[in-house]
Amino acid sequence: MNKIDKRLHFLLGKVKEECTKVKELSDYELKNKTNEFKRRLAEGETTDDLLPEAFAVCCEADYRVLGMFPFDVQILGGIALHLCYLCEMNTGEGKTLTATMPLYLNGLTGKSTILVTANEYLAIRDAEEMGQVYEFLGLSVKAGVTRDTNEHLNNDQKKEIYAADIVYTTHGSLGFDYLLNNLVHSKEDRFMRELYYVIIDEADSVLLDSASMPLVISGSPRVQSNLYGITDFFVTTLVEDEHYIVEDNKVWLTDKGIEYAQRYFRIENLYSKENFDVLRHVVLALRAHYLMDKDVDYVVTDSGEIVLLDKSTGRKMNGMKLRGGSHQAIEEKERLKLSQEQRSVASITYQNLFNLFPKMSGMSGTIADGKDELLEVYHKQVVVIPPNKPMARKDLPDKYFKTSEEQFDAVIKETVKRHNTGQPVLLIASLISDTEMLSKLLVQENIEHSVLNANNAFWEAEIIKEAGQKNVVTVATSMAGRGTDIRLGSGVKELGGLCVLGIGRMNNTRDERQARGRAGRQGEPGVSIFYTSLEDDVCEILGDDFLEKYIEKDKHISKRRIKKLINKSQKIKSESSVFQRKNAVDYDSVMQRQRTIMYKTRNDLLDGKSLDENYLLSICEDNIKDFVKSNKKLDSYAVHRYVLDNLSYRLQEMDESTKNQKDYLIQYSKMAFNTKKKSLGDRFSEYCRLCTLRALDDGWVEEVDYLQQLQAAISGRSSAQRNLLFEYQREARISFEDMEKSIKKAMIRNILLGEVSFGKDNEMIILYP
């Protein structure tokens, strides 16, 4: 037994001791323990000190309210979650009940305590069911999402949610709320408390599978580009390997491709600053054509819209758009009407979001497979919690086929055979198109079945619950209904339990273990078999030409060779995903540094930090020096234009004592500054703060938007054998310095040229220049 396990088992013993004591307490005495714990925390005890007693109280409350007393392994899991480990607990081991103990303990602190889960259904279900326990013990609980995904919560509703002792929400909602909370214009509008403790349910899905796609908030529309059509046509004229290369889910132009592009667009250097827009659109068109596949990455609706598909869940991501023009490039490829391109105003990855929590833990049925990556990225150790009962599920050897036709034929035969005995069958595929194909084949066999394409988490969960009943056949994507228990109907145990048939090798072994884990919960019987072929999606990575020579009808290929090729494909795909996630962390760490500086400055301004007048005047002077320096031949027109654009809407003659333009402008700025100060009196400090906040926001929006575009465009430089991350960091540093200068200019313009009026309650209303 290692050091971590010893500590967990030692604390388990302490909790069990306390459980015998709290059993004797009346309901009133049990509830009153919450006030006692809060008092002791206020007097200097820590949550670690309270753990044995608080866990025992929560265990007893679980039993009295829900009729479920946590098993020893659940208490072990709860201890590990409190100590900020990532826990692997088998499917069906009761992770929802496990989380009640650390959530109760950390909820006592009065600090933000949050559980994030995979979808709205689970967040609302768990908040309602487990919420009864917390409310019995005197803590408040809220769900941070609504049943209707089109219903938007306002700031007051969100403030009420995040003020609760314990919040259940989804990772997407939490991420967007964090970004929105840092876009508010007054401190009264902020709705989130400082982040403290989080438990991530289905943690491998969130921290690994969803980690490389950043959350982006889009704002005001940008001027629509007219380059989409011409670059789309250009890309269709390219020849693979001669003009462009596709590798590891990346595409770039070869040297020949760059020369061809320069001739085509009649430019000298595709990578020069003035041709940034052409390069960006070429890269977007390349990606749209060679990396984004219809019905795999997106679907085209009947109304002519592009709707993205979540590859890890198969779900349609309604309302979500790719950033930086990628969405419009796909629309052009599909010959659809282009939607309005939006500016990115805020962005964060899940890695950086969850690293903001001082205390972060998570749980999943399959997280141990990613332990090395989780340690490197999140500095978190994975603890494997043993099952409550030994696993009785039989995981039969995978079956290998040359073609998908043979593969599907074998799956249907196995389904029919088992269905005829009454055994429930769950068919799990990675692609929506595969679920539709399976459904057609089952219809031909006259077998009634349900199809879950992971489009609606609420009815998915209701259907998947019934997948363990006699004679039931269910077809689902790998993530449909994840987090919902499948209970066996009467007589099913005797038939061998639920049979899970997996179709196609999945992107990684975690997804396959997750699929197998649908059967055999809590020591029940079950069986799982995977059917794979060389035409599985994962094998595309080997290349069509390579695969064609093996798939030829007359050519014999041994099962051993097929197995080797399929396993090799999965390994490459898995390693490629790890590389992409690491890449996302490296790129976002650049923005994270900038975001930390900007959000800190912004929060200081919202909280009323006043700006030193001498500092503002020095900025004004620096702006003037920059202007003079960049204009070697200054005439009176340029000077007057600068005054009207930056200092005052009224021109005054130059004082005789002021012999040069620089001194004249500095003198003028001081005069304009004093005039504004006199007109506002004791509200001047507040005015300066609001003007600075506006300049800061405008500058940061431009910076976020530029960095999003830069990351997409810079990938085209790989043919030049440069270090792309270094290029990105260098460009980002230069753009941040430029942003600082533009913010300082905008601050002074806002202060000196802003028009002020006062609304009801004497609220300051500023019309910015």
Side-chain angles (χ1 to χ4, degrees):
M1 191 182 286
N2 64 34
K3 205 164 140 186
I4 296 170
D5 288 338
K6 278 180 184 172
R7 188 181 178 195
L8 297 181
H9 281 88
F10 170 75
L11 288 168
L12 171 64
K14 292 282 184 191
V15 173
K16 298 282 280 181
E17 279 175 33
E18 294 296 332
C19 284
T20 57
K21 296 175 191 173
V22 297
K23 207 179 278 186
E24 310 302 320
L25 300 177
S26 66
D27 280 3
Y28 173 78
E29 288 169 325
L30 191 67
K31 290 176 184 181
N32 203 42
K33 279 285 183 183
T34 297
N35 293 327
E36 181 200 316
F37 294 149
K38 284 183 175 180
R39 191 191 71 246
R40 285 164 60 184
L41 284 169
E43 288 169 357
E45 287 192 55
T46 66
T47 48
D48 287 358
D49 297 331
L50 294 181
L51 187 149
E53 294 169 74
F55 268 46
V57 164
C58 191
C59 287
E60 188 60 28
D62 285 335
Y63 178 67
R64 294 189 193 183
V65 176
L66 304 172
M68 297 185 284
F69 196 92
F71 301 124
D72 286 4
V73 290
Q74 289 174 311
I75 299 171
L76 268 181
I79 295 166
L81 289 172
H82 170 72
L83 297 176
C84 297
Y85 293 111
L86 298 172
C87 297
E88 173 161 306
M89 294 179 74
N90 283 354
T91 305
E93 289 294 315
K95 291 188 279 290
T96 309
L97 192 66
T98 297
T100 58
M101 293 167 274
L103 286 174
Y104 170 66
L105 174 55
N106 286 278
L108 294 167
T109 60
K111 295 177 185 175
S112 168
T113 300
I114 299 172
L115 183 138
V116 296
T117 191
N119 58 50
E120 288 82 2
Y121 166 78
L122 294 174
I124 291 167
R125 180 199 73 181
D126 295 351
E128 286 173 355
E129 288 181 13
M130 303 300 126
Q132 299 171 71
V133 176
Y134 309 124
E135 282 164 0
F136 172 81
L137 291 169
L139 295 184
S140 56
V141 62
K142 294 279 181 188
V145 289
T146 56
R147 272 190 169 79
D148 180 2
T149 49
N150 295 318
E151 184 187 335
H152 295 291
L153 298 164
N154 61 38
N155 276 22
D156 288 339
Q157 289 170 312
K158 286 183 181 179
K159 199 175 279 188
E160 193 182 330
I161 287 163
Y162 285 105
D165 294 311
I166 293 161
V167 176
Y168 282 84
T169 188
T170 63
H171 46 341
S173 294
L174 179 69
F176 284 122
D177 282 348
Y178 170 75
L179 292 175
L180 290 168
N181 193 57
N182 282 288
L183 289 173
V184 297
H185 292 106
S186 71
K187 65 178 181 181
E188 290 74 27
D189 290 337
R190 283 193 297 216
F191 50 82
M192 287 182 90
R193 295 188 286 163
E194 199 175 331
L195 302 176
Y196 172 62
Y197 178 67
V198 67
I199 297 176
I200 305 162
D201 191 16
E202 306 296 354
D204 56 337
S205 170
V206 178
L207 299 179
L208 299 177
D209 301 328
S210 304
S212 49
M213 179 70 84
L215 298 167
V216 178
I217 291 179
S218 298
S220 56
R222 64 167 72 250
V223 176
Q224 191 77 315
S225 166
N226 60 358
L227 289 170
Y228 289 109
I230 189 171
T231 50
D232 184 84
F233 183 77
F234 163 72
V235 160
T236 61
T237 67
L238 300 177
V239 178
E240 188 170 2
D241 293 336
E242 184 183 344
H243 294 129
Y244 70 92
I245 292 171
V246 180
E247 196 176 281
D248 285 345
N249 205 32
K250 286 185 177 177
V251 59
W252 64 85
L253 294 174
T254 61
D255 289 341
K256 274 191 179 178
I258 293 165
E259 285 168 21
Y260 174 46
Q262 286 166 176
R263 287 199 309 276
Y264 189 93
F265 294 107
R266 297 179 184 180
I267 55 179
E268 282 189 22
N269 181 3
L270 182 61
Y271 293 103
S272 64
K273 201 161 190 174
E274 60 270 22
N275 295 322
F276 176 79
D277 261 356
V278 175
L279 170 64
R280 181 170 82 90
H281 283 79
V282 167
V283 172
L284 292 173
L286 281 168
R287 287 179 166 188
H289 277 271
Y290 306 120
L291 299 185
M292 301 296 288
D293 295 322
K294 188 177 174 183
D295 296 329
V296 176
D297 299 287
Y298 64 89
V299 290
V300 180
T301 65
D302 295 338
S303 58
E305 277 184 274
I306 296 288
V307 177
L308 300 176
L309 297 175
D310 184 333
K311 283 190 110 169
S312 68
T313 65
R315 281 192 176 86
K316 285 182 183 175
M317 298 193 286
N318 291 309
M320 293 278 281
K321 285 191 169 188
L322 290 170
R323 64 195 190 283
S326 295
H327 211 86
Q328 288 71 24
I330 296 170
E331 289 167 336
E332 185 65 54
K333 167 191 166 184
E334 297 292 345
R335 301 290 176 264
L336 302 172
K337 184 183 175 187
L338 297 196
S339 59
Q340 180 62 57
E341 197 180 339
Q342 301 279 308
R343 277 199 172 122
S344 301
V345 298
S347 165
I348 194 169
T349 57
Y350 286 124
Q351 288 104 325
N352 279 315
L353 173 67
F354 290 115
N355 279 330
L356 292 170
F357 283 86
K359 293 183 70 177
M360 184 260 273
S361 60
M363 52 187 180
S364 168
T366 52
I367 203 165
D369 289 354
K371 65 180 187 296
D372 295 337
E373 188 182 348
L374 292 161
L375 186 62
E376 185 184 347
V377 176
Y378 299 97
H379 314 294
K380 292 286 168 190
Q381 285 185 288
V382 173
V383 173
V384 178
I385 305 296
N388 187 46
K389 292 178 183 173
M391 193 171 71
R393 186 184 70 235
K394 291 177 185 170
D395 294 328
L396 299 179
D398 294 353
K399 295 189 179 291
Y400 297 92
F401 302 91
K402 255 201 328 186
T403 65
S404 56
E405 192 181 336
E406 296 168 339
Q407 173 189 19
F408 278 79
D409 187 46
V411 169
I412 296 299
K413 278 181 182 166
E414 187 69 22
T415 305
V416 171
K417 185 178 94 177
R418 290 183 181 267
H419 179 65
N420 288 339
T421 69
Q423 185 177 14
V425 181
L426 173 61
L427 296 116
I428 297 182
S430 3
L431 301 177
I432 289 176
S433 53
D434 286 350
T435 62
E436 288 165 354
M437 174 59 73
L438 288 165
S439 181
K440 283 178 189 170
L441 295 170
L442 289 169
V443 167
Q444 288 172 17
E445 297 291 338
N446 293 318
I447 294 177
E448 280 186 30
H449 60 282
S450 303
V451 182
L452 301 181
N453 279 345
N455 290 325
N456 185 313
F458 287 90
W459 58 254
E460 265 171 34
E462 293 308 313
I463 292 172
I464 209 93
K465 271 183 191 173
E466 304 305 312
Q469 303 302 308
K470 220 170 185 178
N471 290 308
V472 169
V473 175
T474 312
V475 181
T477 49
S478 56
M479 285 290 287
R482 185 168 174 173
T484 307
D485 261 353
I486 299 174
R487 297 179 186 276
L488 300 184
S490 62
V492 171
K493 277 186 186 179
E494 292 73 18
L495 295 169
L498 175 66
C499 172
V500 171
L501 302 180
I503 296 89
R505 176 66 87 232
M506 296 188 176
N507 287 340
N508 55 61
T509 53
R510 283 184 294 103
D511 286 352
E512 289 175 10
R513 286 181 62 207
Q514 183 71 35
R516 292 184 196 278
R518 296 293 180 87
R521 60 178 293 282
Q522 285 288 334
E524 288 173 341
V527 65
S528 73
I529 318 169
F530 263 80
Y531 292 77
T532 65
S533 80
L534 289 174
E535 291 186 319
D536 288 347
D537 189 47
V538 78
C539 292
E540 281 183 2
I541 209 156
L542 296 175
D544 293 342
D545 295 343
F546 180 83
L547 289 172
E548 267 173 29
K549 61 186 182 189
Y550 287 105
I551 296 171
E552 288 169 15
K553 281 190 177 178
D554 302 329
K555 186 165 183 177
H556 172 73
I557 175 171
S558 68
K559 296 285 183 199
R560 190 162 164 267
R561 181 69 178 141
I562 294 173
K563 178 180 177 179
K564 201 171 178 183
L565 286 169
I566 293 172
N567 289 348
K568 181 185 176 185
S569 303
Q570 187 184 50
K571 190 167 185 277
I572 296 169
K573 191 96 174 179
S574 189
E575 285 169 356
S576 170
S577 298
V578 171
F579 176 76
Q580 280 175 37
R581 289 194 290 267
K582 189 175 183 312
N583 223 23
V585 176
D586 291 340
Y587 276 98
D588 196 56
S589 64
V590 176
M591 191 184 277
Q592 177 66 7
R593 286 194 290 275
Q594 295 190 11
R595 185 167 45 231
T596 303
I597 294 165
M598 297 302 285
Y599 284 2
K600 166 82 169 64
T601 308
R602 200 174 188 284
N603 283 327
D604 287 346
L605 289 168
L606 284 177
D607 289 330
K609 183 179 179 181
S610 59
L611 294 150
D612 181 65
E613 288 177 24
N614 291 327
Y615 172 65
L616 292 173
L617 284 168
S618 73
I619 289 175
C620 194
E621 203 169 308
D622 289 342
N623 291 347
I624 290 165
K625 284 176 184 172
D626 282 347
F627 167 70
V628 172
K629 196 175 174 183
S630 60
N631 290 271
K632 297 293 181 192
K633 294 176 183 176
L634 270 182
D635 56 18
S636 59
Y637 173 78
V639 171
H640 290 158
R641 188 74 259 163
Y642 183 84
V643 170
L644 291 169
D645 287 343
N646 297 278
L647 306 178
S648 172
Y649 292 133
R650 293 178 186 174
L651 277 173
Q652 291 187 13
E653 288 303 314
M654 193 187 292
D655 193 303
E656 281 302 312
S657 63
T658 313
K659 296 300 180 190
N660 65 52
Q661 286 97 333
K662 186 177 81 171
D663 292 344
Y664 165 68
L665 289 172
I666 289 170
Q667 182 191 29
Y668 209 117
S669 67
K670 285 177 181 173
M671 181 185 68
F673 197 82
N674 287 327
T675 303
K676 187 67 77 173
K677 187 178 174 182
K678 276 180 193 170
S679 71
L680 288 168
D682 59 1
R683 302 289 295 274
F684 183 64
S685 179
E686 179 193 349
Y687 171 73
C688 289
R689 196 166 48 76
L690 292 172
C691 288
T692 302
L693 194 62
R694 174 62 178 257
L696 199 77
D697 285 349
D698 289 347
W700 179 235
V701 165
E702 290 294 333
E703 176 71 353
V704 169
D705 190 48
Y706 174 69
L707 290 181
Q708 293 287 344
Q709 293 181 63
L710 177 66
Q711 194 174 333
I714 211 161
S715 65
R717 299 188 184 182
S718 53
S719 60
Q721 299 299 310
R722 296 169 176 170
N723 181 324
L724 295 190
L725 182 61
F726 175 76
E727 292 277 312
Y728 179 74
Q729 287 170 332
R730 187 173 64 81
E731 299 271 0
R733 189 181 68 251
I734 293 167
S735 72
F736 189 74
E737 288 166 1
D738 290 344
M739 177 194 69
E740 284 182 311
K741 284 182 183 175
S742 70
I743 287 173
K744 286 176 178 177
K745 284 176 187 168
M747 274 169 66
I748 302 304
R749 284 187 76 240
N750 289 350
I751 290 169
L752 298 182
L753 300 180
E755 300 285 339
V756 184
S757 60
F758 294 94
K760 58 178 184 177
D761 302 328
N762 213 19
E763 180 196 356
M764 190 179 283
I765 300 162
I766 305 169
L767 181 64
Y768 293 102

